[in-house]
Amino acid sequence: MKLDVNALRYLTKDDFRVLTAVEMGMRNHEIVPAELVDRIAGLKHGGTYKVLRNLLKNKLVHHDATKYDGYRLTYLGYDFLAIKTLVNRGVFASVGRQIGVGKESDIFEVATEDGTVLAMKLHRLGRTSFRAVKSKRDYLRHRRSFNWLYLSRLAALKEFAFMKALGHHGFPVPTAVDCNRHCVIMSLVQGYPLVQVKELQNPDDVFDTILGLIVRLAEHGLIHCDFNEFNIMIDDDEKITVIDFPQMVSVSHRNAQMFFDRDIECIYKFFRKRFNLMSEKNEEQDGSESDGEGNSRPSFMSVKKAAGSLDKDLAASGYTRKEQVEMEKYIEEDAEGHDSGSDDDDEIVDAVPIGSLKIDQDGSDEPDCNLDSRNSGGPGTSSEEHGTSCSGENRLETPPTGSNGDAMEPLESGGKVLSQEDDDNDDDLLDDTDDEEDAELTKQLNKQRKKAIVAAHGRRRPVSTRNAYKDKGKGTMNSKIQRQACKW
């Protein structure tokens, strides 16, 4: 969108008040309702609607009435808010011509009151040529919803922080002056983009300087990720200045090596095509990355991060202090939990054998030894001894009960019954008690199994609604009829 600042001189205080109200409403509205704008602006006698018509005429806001009557800021309105704030701060006093345009921003000349010329960069994310910002950049981080104006503001803040930190550490970058919303004010670089340069007096020196900048950035923990001829400025003395920093990432990023190699390859490719730089370095680097004399293409693995940690200070993409602390804490807790869990497992194994907790899939919890003893036509004494020994192992040592619910006589350590009767009635009685014991044991095990499954899945009891109690209680019609029928 073309920036026409002529309308800026005719905007009143109420116009900027309504623009600010629309901006505040866009924090949680894609289209801000007109009633909300009126309520936030607080103008008397319905003056908000008159101001909105004036702003709509100058294309500072966009009107949308598909679902409801509402407005949203345009990039021109956002530009006016940022410019007005910076002018009130005294950063600059006038806006000049446009000197650059890119897929993410526009660059204009601005001048201070004493005549110093600065550069103003307005971030404009969301253009048709570059809409894959959510996948190409990490401005959103953990956020799901986004607005193009908000993304532009995040990009401007990120670039201002990187530019200020790099300038403080002596890198050849523009001097960061101020930042507001999606607007960044910096010093004007007296030079030309490297892509416009056709000849160089010392292309080898320029080439080595550019590669040294890439390695030096990596030593400080940062990778430019867009280090090419379009983002390198060179002046008449062949001094290099690097621009465009929002996409910088940390050397701890998972794709850091790929970004580093891509920046190196862009420089090699450009100098090979533009300046026919076919030195020994380029000829040898076509097939290998190392040289016996040490003159090799810079590799990511050979960079030593010892000069600083700007990625930590600036929370560059791929490294955040909070995530690092949480990860270390999680690793320590996981190690402690693993050790304690192994100790508990050992204690459990010593206390209860695994075989005693088995549950058959067919639902029969009785051991095979009882079935074999029952099917075989052996004497009653042998079947009783065999059955009692198996129950001692696989029934979790539950004392058997008789048909009348009385406890039977205790067992010896060897698993034999202390007293046995030879009558046939007693044999039948013992068989009946075994069946009852198996049925009770099966019920208990099934209950425990269901409880374990519910606890494992973390299920909750379904919350009963009012309809569930429709037929319950003393106040329903069905219960009254039933009570009357019982009386009759």
Side-chain angles (χ1 to χ4, degrees), residues 180-265:
N180 181 261
R181 293 179 174 87
H182 68 310
C183 178
V184 180
I185 306 298
M186 66 190 80
S187 62
L188 184 64
V189 179
Q190 301 296 332
Y192 315 94
L194 187 60
V195 69
Q196 298 178 3
V197 178
K198 303 298 181 182
E199 294 181 0
L200 288 174
Q201 295 180 357
N202 300 310
D204 294 335
D205 296 340
V206 175
F207 177 76
D208 294 336
T209 303
I210 294 175
L211 291 182
L213 282 176
I214 298 176
V215 175
R216 188 180 167 198
L217 279 172
E219 290 176 352
H220 282 76
L222 295 174
I223 298 176
H224 192 279
C225 296
D226 197 14
F227 208 95
N228 51 41
E229 61 273 15
F230 297 96
N231 295 325
I232 299 174
M233 305 290 291
I234 187 169
D235 59 3
D236 296 333
D237 297 332
E238 296 186 354
K239 291 184 179 179
I240 299 299
T241 304
V242 184
I243 60 174
D244 195 12
F245 309 101
Q247 70 284 337
M248 294 186 74
V249 300
S250 169
V251 291
S252 303
H253 196 275
R254 58 182 179 180
N255 297 326
Q257 185 173 359
M258 185 267 291
F259 291 142
F260 182 86
D261 295 338
R262 187 177 67 180
D263 290 347
I264 296 292
E265 181 60 28

Coordinates of all heavy atoms in Angstrom, one line a residue, residues 180-265:
N180 N 8.4 1.6 17.2 CA 7.0 1.7 17.7 C 6.1 0.9 16.8 O 6.2 1.1 15.5 CB 6.6 3.2 17.7 CG 5.2 3.4 18.3 OD1 4.3 3.5 17.5 ND2 5.1 3.3 19.6
R181 N 5.3 0.1 17.4 CA 4.4 -0.8 16.6 C 5.2 -1.6 15.6 O 6.1 -2.3 15.9 CB 3.3 0.0 16.0 CG 2.3 0.6 17.1 CD 1.2 1.4 16.5 NE 0.2 1.8 17.4 CZ 0.3 2.9 18.1 NH1 1.3 3.7 18.0 NH2 -0.7 3.3 19.0
H182 N 4.9 -1.4 14.3 CA 5.6 -2.2 13.2 C 6.6 -1.3 12.5 O 7.1 -1.7 11.4 CB 4.6 -2.6 12.2 CG 3.9 -1.5 11.4 ND1 3.4 -0.4 12.0 CD2 3.8 -1.3 10.1 CE1 2.9 0.4 11.1 NE2 3.1 -0.1 9.9
C183 N 7.0 -0.2 13.1 CA 7.9 0.8 12.5 C 9.3 0.7 13.3 O 9.3 0.8 14.5 CB 7.3 2.2 12.5 SG 8.4 3.4 11.9
V184 N 10.4 0.7 12.5 CA 11.7 0.7 13.0 C 12.5 1.8 12.4 O 12.5 2.0 11.2 CB 12.4 -0.7 12.8 CG1 13.9 -0.6 13.4 CG2 11.7 -1.8 13.4
I185 N 13.1 2.7 13.3 CA 13.9 3.8 12.8 C 15.4 3.4 13.0 O 15.8 3.0 14.1 CB 13.5 5.1 13.6 CG1 12.0 5.4 13.5 CG2 14.3 6.3 13.0 CD1 11.5 5.6 12.1
M186 N 16.1 3.6 11.9 CA 17.6 3.2 12.0 C 18.3 4.3 11.2 O 17.8 5.1 10.4 CB 17.8 1.8 11.4 CG 17.5 1.7 9.9 SD 17.5 0.0 9.3 CE 15.8 -0.5 9.9
S187 N 19.6 4.2 11.3 CA 20.5 5.1 10.5 C 20.5 4.7 9.1 O 20.4 3.5 8.7 CB 21.9 5.1 11.1 OG 22.5 3.8 11.0
L188 N 20.7 5.7 8.2 CA 20.7 5.4 6.8 C 22.0 5.0 6.3 O 23.1 5.7 6.6 CB 20.3 6.7 6.0 CG 20.1 6.6 4.5 CD1 19.0 5.6 4.1 CD2 19.9 8.0 3.9
V189 N 22.1 3.9 5.7 CA 23.4 3.3 5.2 C 23.7 4.0 3.9 O 23.0 3.9 2.9 CB 23.3 1.8 5.0 CG1 24.6 1.2 4.5 CG2 22.9 1.1 6.3
Q190 N 24.9 4.6 3.8 CA 25.4 5.2 2.6 C 26.1 4.2 1.7 O 27.3 3.9 1.8 CB 26.4 6.4 2.9 CG 25.8 7.4 3.8 CD 24.7 8.2 3.1 OE1 24.6 8.3 1.9 NE2 23.7 8.7 3.9
G191 N 25.3 3.5 0.9 CA 25.9 2.5 0.0 C 24.8 1.9 -0.9 O 23.7 2.5 -1.1
Y192 N 25.1 0.8 -1.5 CA 24.2 0.2 -2.5 C 24.1 -1.3 -2.1 O 25.0 -1.9 -1.6 CB 24.8 0.3 -3.9 CG 25.3 1.7 -4.2 CD1 26.7 2.0 -4.0 CD2 24.5 2.7 -4.7 CE1 27.2 3.2 -4.3 CE2 25.0 3.9 -5.0 CZ 26.3 4.2 -4.8 OH 26.8 5.5 -5.0
P193 N 23.0 -1.9 -2.5 CA 22.9 -3.4 -2.3 C 23.9 -4.1 -3.2 O 24.2 -3.6 -4.3 CB 21.5 -3.7 -2.8 CG 20.7 -2.4 -2.7 CD 21.7 -1.3 -2.9
L194 N 24.5 -5.1 -2.7 CA 25.5 -5.9 -3.4 C 25.0 -6.4 -4.7 O 25.8 -6.6 -5.7 CB 26.0 -7.0 -2.5 CG 27.2 -7.8 -3.1 CD1 28.4 -6.9 -3.3 CD2 27.6 -8.9 -2.1
V195 N 23.7 -6.6 -4.8 CA 23.1 -7.2 -6.1 C 23.2 -6.2 -7.2 O 23.2 -6.5 -8.4 CB 21.7 -7.6 -5.8 CG1 20.8 -6.4 -5.6 CG2 21.2 -8.5 -7.0
Q196 N 23.3 -4.9 -6.9 CA 23.4 -3.8 -7.9 C 24.8 -3.5 -8.3 O 25.0 -2.8 -9.3 CB 22.7 -2.5 -7.4 CG 21.3 -2.7 -7.1 CD 20.7 -1.4 -6.6 OE1 21.3 -0.4 -6.5 NE2 19.4 -1.5 -6.2
V197 N 25.8 -4.1 -7.7 CA 27.2 -3.8 -7.9 C 27.7 -4.8 -9.0 O 27.5 -6.0 -8.9 CB 28.1 -4.0 -6.7 CG1 29.5 -3.8 -7.0 CG2 27.6 -3.0 -5.6
K198 N 28.3 -4.2 -10.1 CA 28.8 -5.0 -11.2 C 30.3 -5.3 -11.1 O 30.7 -6.3 -11.6 CB 28.5 -4.3 -12.5 CG 27.0 -3.9 -12.8 CD 26.2 -5.2 -12.8 CE 24.7 -4.8 -13.1 NZ 23.8 -6.0 -13.1
E199 N 31.0 -4.4 -10.5 CA 32.5 -4.6 -10.4 C 33.0 -4.2 -9.0 O 32.4 -3.4 -8.4 CB 33.2 -3.7 -11.5 CG 32.9 -4.1 -12.9 CD 33.7 -3.2 -13.9 OE1 34.4 -2.3 -13.4 OE2 33.6 -3.4 -15.1
L200 N 34.0 -4.9 -8.6 CA 34.7 -4.7 -7.4 C 36.2 -4.6 -7.6 O 36.7 -5.4 -8.4 CB 34.3 -5.7 -6.3 CG 32.9 -5.8 -5.7 CD1 32.7 -7.0 -4.9 CD2 32.6 -4.5 -5.0
Q201 N 36.8 -3.7 -6.9 CA 38.3 -3.6 -7.0 C 39.0 -4.8 -6.3 O 39.9 -5.3 -6.9 CB 38.8 -2.3 -6.3 CG 38.3 -1.1 -7.0 CD 38.8 0.2 -6.4 OE1 39.5 0.1 -5.3 NE2 38.4 1.4 -6.9
N202 N 38.5 -5.2 -5.2 CA 39.1 -6.3 -4.5 C 38.0 -7.3 -4.1 O 37.5 -7.4 -3.0 CB 39.8 -5.9 -3.2 CG 40.9 -4.9 -3.5 OD1 41.7 -5.1 -4.3 ND2 40.9 -3.8 -2.8
P203 N 37.5 -8.1 -5.1 CA 36.4 -9.1 -4.8 C 36.9 -10.2 -3.8 O 36.0 -10.6 -3.0 CB 36.1 -9.7 -6.2 CG 37.3 -9.4 -7.0 CD 37.9 -8.2 -6.5
D204 N 38.1 -10.5 -3.8 CA 38.6 -11.5 -2.8 C 38.5 -11.1 -1.4 O 38.0 -11.8 -0.5 CB 40.0 -11.9 -3.1 CG 40.2 -12.6 -4.5 OD1 39.2 -13.2 -4.9 OD2 41.3 -12.6 -5.1
D205 N 38.9 -9.8 -1.2 CA 38.8 -9.3 0.2 C 37.3 -9.2 0.7 O 37.0 -9.5 1.8 CB 39.4 -7.9 0.3 CG 40.9 -8.0 0.0 OD1 41.5 -9.1 0.1 OD2 41.5 -7.0 -0.4
V206 N 36.4 -8.7 -0.2 CA 35.0 -8.6 0.1 C 34.5 -10.0 0.4 O 33.7 -10.2 1.3 CB 34.3 -7.9 -1.0 CG1 32.8 -7.9 -0.7 CG2 34.8 -6.5 -1.2
F207 N 34.9 -10.9 -0.4 CA 34.4 -12.3 -0.2 C 34.8 -12.9 1.1 O 34.0 -13.4 1.9 CB 34.9 -13.2 -1.4 CG 34.5 -14.6 -1.3 CD1 33.3 -15.1 -1.6 CD2 35.5 -15.6 -0.9 CE1 32.9 -16.4 -1.5 CE2 35.2 -16.9 -0.8 CZ 33.9 -17.3 -1.1
D208 N 36.1 -12.7 1.5 CA 36.5 -13.2 2.8 C 35.9 -12.4 3.9 O 35.6 -13.0 5.0 CB 38.1 -13.0 2.9 CG 38.8 -13.9 1.9 OD1 38.2 -14.9 1.5 OD2 39.9 -13.6 1.5
T209 N 35.6 -11.1 3.8 CA 35.0 -10.4 4.8 C 33.6 -10.9 5.1 O 33.1 -11.0 6.2 CB 34.9 -8.9 4.4 OG1 36.3 -8.4 4.2 CG2 34.3 -8.0 5.5
I210 N 32.8 -11.2 4.0 CA 31.5 -11.6 4.1 C 31.4 -13.0 4.8 O 30.6 -13.2 5.7 CB 30.8 -11.6 2.8 CG1 30.6 -10.2 2.2 CG2 29.4 -12.3 2.9 CD1 30.1 -10.2 0.8
L211 N 32.3 -13.9 4.4 CA 32.3 -15.2 5.0 C 32.8 -15.1 6.5 O 32.2 -15.8 7.4 CB 33.3 -16.1 4.3 CG 32.9 -16.6 2.9 CD1 34.0 -17.5 2.3 CD2 31.6 -17.3 2.9
G212 N 33.7 -14.2 6.8 CA 34.1 -13.9 8.2 C 32.9 -13.4 9.0 O 32.8 -13.8 10.2
L213 N 32.0 -12.6 8.5 CA 30.8 -12.2 9.2 C 29.9 -13.3 9.5 O 29.3 -13.4 10.6 CB 30.1 -11.1 8.4 CG 30.7 -9.7 8.4 CD1 29.9 -8.8 7.4 CD2 30.8 -9.1 9.8
I214 N 29.7 -14.2 8.6 CA 28.8 -15.4 8.9 C 29.4 -16.2 10.0 O 28.7 -16.6 10.9 CB 28.7 -16.2 7.6 CG1 28.0 -15.4 6.5 CG2 27.8 -17.5 7.9 CD1 27.9 -16.1 5.2
V215 N 30.7 -16.5 10.0 CA 31.3 -17.3 11.0 C 31.3 -16.6 12.4 O 31.0 -17.2 13.4 CB 32.8 -17.6 10.6 CG1 33.5 -18.4 11.7 CG2 32.8 -18.5 9.4
R216 N 31.5 -15.3 12.3 CA 31.5 -14.5 13.6 C 30.1 -14.5 14.2 O 30.0 -14.5 15.4 CB 32.0 -13.1 13.3 CG 32.2 -12.2 14.5 CD 32.7 -10.8 14.1 NE 32.6 -9.9 15.2 CZ 32.7 -8.6 15.1 NH1 32.8 -8.1 13.9 NH2 32.6 -7.8 16.2
L217 N 29.1 -14.3 13.4 CA 27.7 -14.4 13.9 C 27.5 -15.8 14.6 O 26.9 -15.8 15.6 CB 26.7 -14.2 12.8 CG 26.4 -12.7 12.3 CD1 25.6 -12.7 11.1 CD2 25.7 -12.0 13.5
A218 N 27.9 -16.8 13.9 CA 27.7 -18.2 14.5 C 28.5 -18.3 15.8 O 28.0 -19.0 16.7 CB 28.2 -19.2 13.5
E219 N 29.7 -17.7 15.9 CA 30.4 -17.7 17.2 C 29.7 -17.0 18.3 O 29.8 -17.4 19.5 CB 31.8 -17.1 17.0 CG 32.7 -18.0 16.1 CD 34.0 -17.3 15.8 OE1 34.2 -16.1 16.2 OE2 35.0 -17.9 15.3
H220 N 28.9 -16.0 17.9 CA 28.1 -15.3 18.9 C 26.7 -16.0 19.2 O 25.9 -15.5 19.9 CB 27.8 -13.9 18.5 CG 29.0 -13.0 18.8 ND1 30.1 -13.0 18.0 CD2 29.3 -12.1 19.8 CE1 31.0 -12.1 18.5 NE2 30.5 -11.6 19.5
G221 N 26.5 -17.2 18.5 CA 25.3 -17.9 18.7 C 24.1 -17.6 17.8 O 23.0 -18.0 18.1
L222 N 24.3 -16.9 16.7 CA 23.3 -16.5 15.8 C 23.6 -16.9 14.4 O 24.7 -17.0 14.0 CB 23.0 -15.0 15.9 CG 22.5 -14.4 17.2 CD1 22.5 -12.9 17.2 CD2 21.2 -15.0 17.5
I223 N 22.5 -17.2 13.6 CA 22.6 -17.4 12.2 C 21.6 -16.5 11.5 O 20.5 -16.4 11.9 CB 22.3 -18.9 11.9 CG1 23.3 -19.8 12.6 CG2 22.3 -19.2 10.4 CD1 23.1 -21.3 12.4
H224 N 22.1 -15.9 10.4 CA 21.3 -14.9 9.7 C 20.1 -15.5 9.0 O 19.0 -14.9 9.0 CB 22.1 -14.1 8.8 CG 21.5 -12.8 8.2 ND1 20.6 -12.9 7.2 CD2 21.6 -11.5 8.6 CE1 20.2 -11.6 6.9 NE2 20.8 -10.8 7.8
C225 N 20.3 -16.6 8.3 CA 19.2 -17.3 7.6 C 18.8 -16.7 6.3 O 18.0 -17.3 5.5 CB 18.0 -17.6 8.5 SG 18.3 -18.6 9.9
D226 N 19.2 -15.5 6.0 CA 18.9 -14.8 4.7 C 20.1 -14.0 4.3 O 19.9 -12.8 3.8 CB 17.6 -14.0 4.9 CG 17.0 -13.6 3.5 OD1 17.4 -14.3 2.5 OD2 16.1 -12.7 3.5
F227 N 21.3 -14.5 4.4 CA 22.5 -13.8 4.1 C 22.8 -14.0 2.6 O 23.4 -14.9 2.2 CB 23.6 -14.4 4.9 CG 24.7 -13.4 5.2 CD1 24.7 -12.7 6.4 CD2 25.7 -13.2 4.3 CE1 25.7 -11.8 6.7 CE2 26.7 -12.3 4.6 CZ 26.8 -11.6 5.8
N228 N 22.3 -13.0 1.8 CA 22.5 -13.0 0.4 C 22.8 -11.6 -0.1 O 23.0 -10.7 0.7 CB 21.3 -13.6 -0.3 CG 20.0 -13.0 0.1 OD1 20.0 -11.7 0.2 ND2 19.0 -13.7 0.3
E229 N 23.0 -11.5 -1.4 CA 23.4 -10.2 -2.0 C 22.3 -9.1 -1.9 O 22.6 -8.0 -2.0 CB 23.7 -10.4 -3.5 CG 22.5 -10.9 -4.3 CD 22.4 -12.5 -4.4 OE1 23.0 -13.1 -3.5 OE2 21.7 -13.0 -5.2
F230 N 21.1 -9.5 -1.5 CA 20.0 -8.5 -1.4 C 20.1 -7.8 0.0 O 19.6 -6.7 0.2 CB 18.7 -9.1 -1.6 CG 18.4 -9.6 -3.0 CD1 18.7 -11.0 -3.3 CD2 18.1 -8.8 -4.0 CE1 18.5 -11.5 -4.5 CE2 17.9 -9.3 -5.3 CZ 18.1 -10.6 -5.5
N231 N 20.7 -8.5 1.0 CA 20.7 -8.0 2.4 C 22.1 -7.6 2.8 O 22.5 -7.5 4.0 CB 20.2 -9.1 3.3 CG 18.8 -9.4 3.1 OD1 18.0 -8.5 2.8 ND2 18.4 -10.6 3.3
I232 N 23.0 -7.3 1.8 CA 24.4 -6.8 2.0 C 24.5 -5.5 1.3 O 24.3 -5.4 0.1 CB 25.4 -7.8 1.6 CG1 25.3 -9.2 2.3 CG2 26.8 -7.3 1.7 CD1 26.2 -10.3 1.8
M233 N 24.9 -4.5 2.1 CA 25.1 -3.1 1.5 C 26.6 -2.9 1.5 O 27.4 -3.3 2.4 CB 24.5 -2.1 2.4 CG 23.0 -2.3 2.6 SD 22.0 -2.0 1.2 CE 22.2 -0.2 1.0
I234 N 27.1 -2.3 0.4 CA 28.5 -2.0 0.2 C 28.6 -0.5 -0.3 O 27.8 -0.1 -1.1 CB 29.1 -3.0 -0.8 CG1 30.6 -2.8 -0.9 CG2 28.4 -2.9 -2.2 CD1 31.3 -3.9 -1.6
D235 N 29.6 0.2 0.3 CA 29.8 1.6 -0.1 C 30.9 1.7 -1.1 O 31.5 0.7 -1.6 CB 30.0 2.4 1.2 CG 31.2 2.0 1.9 OD1 31.9 1.0 1.5 OD2 31.5 2.6 3.0
D236 N 31.3 3.0 -1.3 CA 32.4 3.2 -2.3 C 33.7 2.7 -1.8 O 34.6 2.4 -2.7 CB 32.4 4.7 -2.6 CG 31.2 5.2 -3.3 OD1 30.5 4.4 -3.9 OD2 30.9 6.4 -3.1
D237 N 33.9 2.6 -0.5 CA 35.2 2.1 0.0 C 35.1 0.6 0.2 O 36.1 0.0 0.8 CB 35.5 2.8 1.3 CG 35.7 4.3 1.2 OD1 36.1 4.7 0.1 OD2 35.4 5.0 2.1
E238 N 34.1 -0.1 -0.3 CA 33.9 -1.5 -0.2 C 33.8 -2.0 1.2 O 34.3 -3.1 1.6 CB 35.0 -2.2 -1.0 CG 35.0 -2.0 -2.5 CD 36.1 -2.8 -3.2 OE1 36.8 -3.5 -2.5 OE2 36.1 -2.8 -4.5
K239 N 33.1 -1.2 2.0 CA 32.8 -1.6 3.4 C 31.5 -2.3 3.4 O 30.5 -1.8 2.8 CB 32.9 -0.4 4.3 CG 34.3 0.2 4.5 CD 34.3 1.3 5.6 CE 35.7 1.8 5.8 NZ 35.7 2.9 6.8
I240 N 31.3 -3.3 4.2 CA 30.1 -4.1 4.2 C 29.2 -3.7 5.4 O 29.7 -3.5 6.5 CB 30.5 -5.6 4.3 CG1 31.4 -6.0 3.1 CG2 29.3 -6.5 4.4 CD1 30.7 -5.9 1.8
T241 N 27.9 -3.7 5.1 CA 26.9 -3.5 6.1 C 25.8 -4.5 5.9 O 25.3 -4.7 4.8 CB 26.3 -2.1 6.1 OG1 27.4 -1.1 6.2 CG2 25.3 -1.9 7.2
V242 N 25.4 -5.2 7.0 CA 24.4 -6.3 6.9 C 23.1 -5.7 7.4 O 23.0 -4.9 8.4 CB 24.8 -7.5 7.7 CG1 23.8 -8.6 7.6 CG2 26.2 -8.0 7.4
I243 N 22.0 -6.0 6.7 CA 20.7 -5.6 7.0 C 19.7 -6.8 7.1 O 20.1 -7.9 6.8 CB 20.1 -4.5 6.0 CG1 20.1 -5.1 4.6 CG2 21.0 -3.3 6.1 CD1 19.4 -4.2 3.6
D244 N 18.5 -6.5 7.6 CA 17.4 -7.5 7.6 C 17.7 -8.6 8.6 O 18.4 -9.6 8.3 CB 17.1 -8.1 6.2 CG 15.8 -8.8 6.1 OD1 15.0 -8.6 7.1 OD2 15.6 -9.5 5.1
F245 N 17.1 -8.5 9.8 CA 17.4 -9.4 10.9 C 16.2 -10.2 11.5 O 16.4 -10.9 12.4 CB 18.1 -8.7 12.0 CG 19.3 -7.9 11.5 CD1 19.2 -6.5 11.4 CD2 20.5 -8.5 11.2 CE1 20.3 -5.8 10.9 CE2 21.6 -7.8 10.8 CZ 21.5 -6.4 10.6
P246 N 15.0 -10.0 11.1 CA 13.9 -10.6 11.9 C 13.9 -12.2 11.8 O 13.4 -12.8 12.8 CB 12.6 -10.1 11.1 CG 13.0 -9.0 10.4 CD 14.4 -9.2 10.0
Q247 N 14.5 -12.8 10.8 CA 14.5 -14.2 10.7 C 15.7 -14.9 11.3 O 15.8 -16.1 11.2 CB 14.4 -14.6 9.2 CG 15.7 -14.3 8.4 CD 15.9 -12.9 8.1 OE1 14.9 -12.1 8.1 NE2 17.1 -12.5 7.8
M248 N 16.5 -14.2 12.1 CA 17.7 -14.8 12.7 C 17.3 -15.9 13.7 O 16.3 -15.7 14.4 CB 18.5 -13.7 13.3 CG 19.2 -12.8 12.3 SD 20.3 -11.6 13.1 CE 21.7 -12.7 13.4
V249 N 18.1 -17.0 13.7 CA 17.8 -18.1 14.7 C 19.1 -18.4 15.4 O 20.2 -17.9 15.1 CB 17.3 -19.3 13.9 CG1 16.1 -19.1 13.2 CG2 18.4 -19.9 13.0
S250 N 18.9 -19.2 16.5 CA 20.0 -19.6 17.3 C 20.8 -20.8 16.7 O 20.2 -21.5 15.9 CB 19.5 -19.9 18.7 OG 20.5 -20.5 19.5
V251 N 22.0 -20.9 17.1 CA 22.8 -22.1 16.7 C 22.3 -23.4 17.3 O 22.6 -24.5 16.9 CB 24.3 -21.9 17.0 CG1 24.9 -20.8 16.2 CG2 24.5 -21.6 18.5
S252 N 21.4 -23.2 18.3 CA 20.8 -24.4 18.9 C 19.5 -24.8 18.2 O 18.9 -25.8 18.6 CB 20.5 -24.1 20.4 OG 21.6 -23.7 21.1
H253 N 19.2 -24.1 17.1 CA 18.0 -24.5 16.4 C 18.2 -25.8 15.7 O 19.3 -26.2 15.4 CB 17.7 -23.4 15.3 CG 16.3 -23.5 14.7 ND1 16.0 -24.3 13.6 CD2 15.2 -22.8 15.0 CE1 14.8 -24.1 13.3 NE2 14.2 -23.2 14.1
R254 N 17.1 -26.6 15.5 CA 17.2 -27.9 15.0 C 17.7 -27.9 13.5 O 18.3 -28.9 13.0 CB 15.9 -28.7 15.1 CG 14.7 -28.0 14.4 CD 13.5 -28.7 14.6 NE 12.3 -28.1 14.0 CZ 11.1 -28.5 14.0 NH1 10.8 -29.7 14.6 NH2 10.1 -27.9 13.4
N255 N 17.4 -26.8 12.8 CA 17.9 -26.7 11.4 C 19.0 -25.7 11.3 O 19.2 -25.1 10.2 CB 16.7 -26.2 10.5 CG 15.6 -27.2 10.5 OD1 15.8 -28.4 10.6 ND2 14.3 -26.7 10.4
A256 N 19.8 -25.5 12.3 CA 20.8 -24.4 12.3 C 21.9 -24.8 11.3 O 22.3 -23.9 10.5 CB 21.4 -24.3 13.7
Q257 N 22.3 -26.0 11.2 CA 23.3 -26.4 10.2 C 22.9 -26.2 8.8 O 23.6 -25.7 7.9 CB 23.7 -27.8 10.4 CG 24.9 -28.3 9.6 CD 25.4 -29.7 9.9 OE1 24.8 -30.3 10.8 NE2 26.4 -30.1 9.2
M258 N 21.6 -26.5 8.5 CA 21.1 -26.3 7.1 C 21.1 -24.8 6.8 O 21.4 -24.4 5.7 CB 19.7 -26.9 7.0 CG 19.1 -26.8 5.6 SD 18.1 -25.4 5.3 CE 16.7 -25.7 6.4
F259 N 20.6 -23.9 7.7 CA 20.6 -22.5 7.5 C 22.0 -21.9 7.3 O 22.3 -21.1 6.4 CB 19.9 -21.7 8.6 CG 18.5 -22.0 8.7 CD1 17.8 -22.2 10.0 CD2 17.7 -22.1 7.6 CE1 16.5 -22.4 10.1 CE2 16.3 -22.4 7.7 CZ 15.7 -22.5 8.9
F260 N 23.0 -22.4 8.1 CA 24.4 -21.9 8.0 C 24.9 -22.3 6.6 O 25.5 -21.5 5.9 CB 25.2 -22.5 9.1 CG 26.6 -22.1 9.1 CD1 27.0 -20.9 9.8 CD2 27.6 -22.9 8.5 CE1 28.3 -20.5 9.8 CE2 28.9 -22.4 8.5 CZ 29.3 -21.3 9.2
D261 N 24.7 -23.6 6.2 CA 25.3 -24.0 4.9 C 24.6 -23.3 3.8 O 25.2 -23.0 2.7 CB 25.1 -25.5 4.8 CG 25.9 -26.3 5.8 OD1 26.9 -25.7 6.3 OD2 25.6 -27.5 6.1
R262 N 23.3 -22.9 3.9 CA 22.6 -22.2 2.9 C 23.2 -20.8 2.7 O 23.3 -20.3 1.6 CB 21.1 -22.2 3.2 CG 20.3 -21.6 2.0 CD 18.8 -21.6 2.4 NE 18.5 -20.7 3.5 CZ 17.3 -20.6 4.0 NH1 16.3 -21.3 3.5 NH2 17.1 -19.8 5.0
D263 N 23.5 -20.1 3.8 CA 24.1 -18.8 3.7 C 25.4 -18.8 3.0 O 25.7 -18.0 2.2 CB 24.2 -18.2 5.1 CG 22.8 -17.8 5.7 OD1 21.8 -17.8 5.0 OD2 22.8 -17.6 6.9
I264 N 26.2 -19.8 3.4 CA 27.5 -19.9 2.8 C 27.4 -20.2 1.3 O 28.1 -19.6 0.5 CB 28.3 -21.1 3.5 CG1 28.6 -20.7 4.9 CG2 29.6 -21.3 2.7 CD1 29.6 -19.6 5.1
E265 N 26.5 -21.1 0.9 CA 26.3 -21.4 -0.5 C 25.8 -20.2 -1.3 O 26.2 -20.1 -2.5 CB 25.3 -22.6 -0.6 CG 25.1 -23.1 -2.0 CD 26.3 -23.6 -2.7 OE1 27.3 -24.0 -2.0 OE2 26.4 -23.5 -4.0

